[in-house]
Amino acid sequence: MEKDRREQLLTLLESPAFFIERPDDTALTRYDRALTHSSSGEPDNERMEFFGDCVLDFLIGQELYHSFDRRLLQLRERFPGTKDEALLTDMLHEITNDRNLASIAGNIPGFDDAIRRGPGQILTPSIRAGAFEALIAAIFDDRGIKKARDIIRELFRHRIEHAEPIVSWKNRLQECVQKHEPSANVGDIIQYRTCREEGTPDHDARHYSEVYVRRTGKDWRCWGTGHGRRGKDAEMDAARNAVERHPED
């Protein structure tokens, strides 16, 4: 490994987000691979993304499970008829979607610069989220579950404490638009254009979606964009983005 790359990785790992000191050469190679995108042409992080996703789901799920009793009455009052399991599942998915993972990782100094990519490859939220998942896998392999738990607990503390079940953003967007177009069919005023993100592997495909809205007398306009592992996740994220960008429309 080149000296500059080694120093870059060590600086990131020793930062307050991770506090990982003196990894051996084997571990450092694993960390390097975790932060290598397939577009680079080097051994990449695709399989590590899968494992890191499992680690995140388990550890964050554990935190939600143990904190659920504290919020149980409030959640049941707000979401009557929804089973506890469904509430927990929705809360987990909201915390671990690509948008949130990319936001958390992007706020770690030096993280984006450490992601190796091919020439011209733009750093998308899904690439950042995937690299973060892979890095969690590398930390788990190197330092074990306790260290991984401590890191995740600290990085996700606020989101876990304020976890909310997924809001049906598609319904929210539909209600928002139909306030002004009450007689229109949804398909005539809202359209989602969704595709698989270029370069994502079959076993871990990511999707990108744009939601378009057409008001009376106007052309179709892109109101929001979103990313997600599945097409419907990307569409939900695009609807959320549209509602947040056009709260009064």
Side-chain angles (χ1 to χ4, degrees), residues 1-238:
M1 185 183 303
E2 294 180 357
K3 180 181 178 181
D4 288 349
R5 177 61 171 172
R6 182 184 184 88
E7 291 179 354
Q8 182 183 47
L9 292 173
L10 290 174
T11 298
L12 175 63
L13 294 170
E14 292 170 359
S15 69
F18 303 115
F19 284 119
I20 294 174
E21 297 180 337
R22 298 184 298 276
D24 60 28
D25 288 344
T26 299
L28 200 60
T29 298
R30 191 179 296 119
Y31 288 123
D32 179 45
R33 183 164 184 169
L35 294 166
T36 301
H37 185 249
S38 57
S39 63
S40 69
E42 302 292 333
D44 60 60
N45 61 9
E46 290 179 359
R47 284 185 295 169
M48 299 177 76
E49 284 184 43
F50 164 78
F51 183 43
D53 177 49
C54 295
V55 173
L56 279 167
D57 278 357
F58 171 68
L59 292 177
I60 293 176
Q62 186 179 50
E63 295 291 320
L64 289 172
Y65 173 78
H66 288 301
S67 66
F68 191 72
D69 282 343
R70 175 173 52 82
R71 305 182 61 199
L72 180 59
L73 293 178
Q74 177 200 47
L75 287 168
R76 283 184 175 170
E77 183 177 323
R78 292 173 56 209
F79 302 95
T82 304
K83 293 183 178 180
D84 294 354
E85 179 185 5
L87 289 171
L88 284 164
T89 299
D90 269 5
M91 290 158 75
L92 176 63
H93 287 172
E94 176 66 9
I95 291 173
T96 60
N97 63 39
D98 278 2
R99 172 173 48 84
N100 272 334
L101 296 185
S103 175
I104 287 172
N107 286 324
I108 299 172
F111 187 88
D112 285 359
D113 291 339
I115 301 174
R116 291 200 296 166
R117 309 183 301 280
Q121 175 63 60
I122 297 172
L123 181 58
T124 64
S126 63
I127 290 176
R128 184 187 288 129
F132 180 77
E133 290 170 337
L135 187 61
I136 293 297
I139 291 169
F140 182 95
D141 281 341
D142 180 34
R143 301 295 164 115
I145 191 168
K146 183 180 184 304
K147 181 63 174 177
R149 179 184 287 112
D150 289 345
I151 290 170
I152 290 169
R153 184 176 287 163
E154 187 60 32
L155 288 175
F156 289 84
R157 182 184 303 278
H158 179 79
R159 283 174 169 81
I160 290 170
E161 289 178 353
H162 299 88
E164 286 285 318
I166 293 174
V167 176
S168 180
W169 290 108
K170 283 189 172 183
N171 290 345
R172 285 275 296 277
L173 177 61
Q174 181 178 327
E175 291 168 1
C176 174
V177 177
Q178 287 193 312
K179 284 191 302 184
H180 304 281
E181 310 287 342
S183 62
N185 294 321
V186 174
D188 293 333
I189 56 176
I190 301 174
Q191 286 187 1
Y192 293 89
R193 302 176 188 178
T194 306
C195 62
R196 178 167 148 180
E197 288 193 8
E198 185 177 349
T200 58
D202 291 339
H203 71 276
D204 191 28
R206 255 62 173 209
H207 291 80
Y208 172 75
S209 182
E210 297 177 335
V211 59
Y212 285 80
V213 172
R214 181 170 63 182
R215 299 275 296 277
T216 300
K218 298 182 180 180
D219 294 330
W220 287 102
R221 291 176 51 208
C222 180
W223 271 32
T225 62
H227 300 266
R229 291 186 180 279
R230 300 170 298 175
K232 64 180 182 179
D233 294 334
E235 290 176 2
M236 190 73 76
D237 195 40

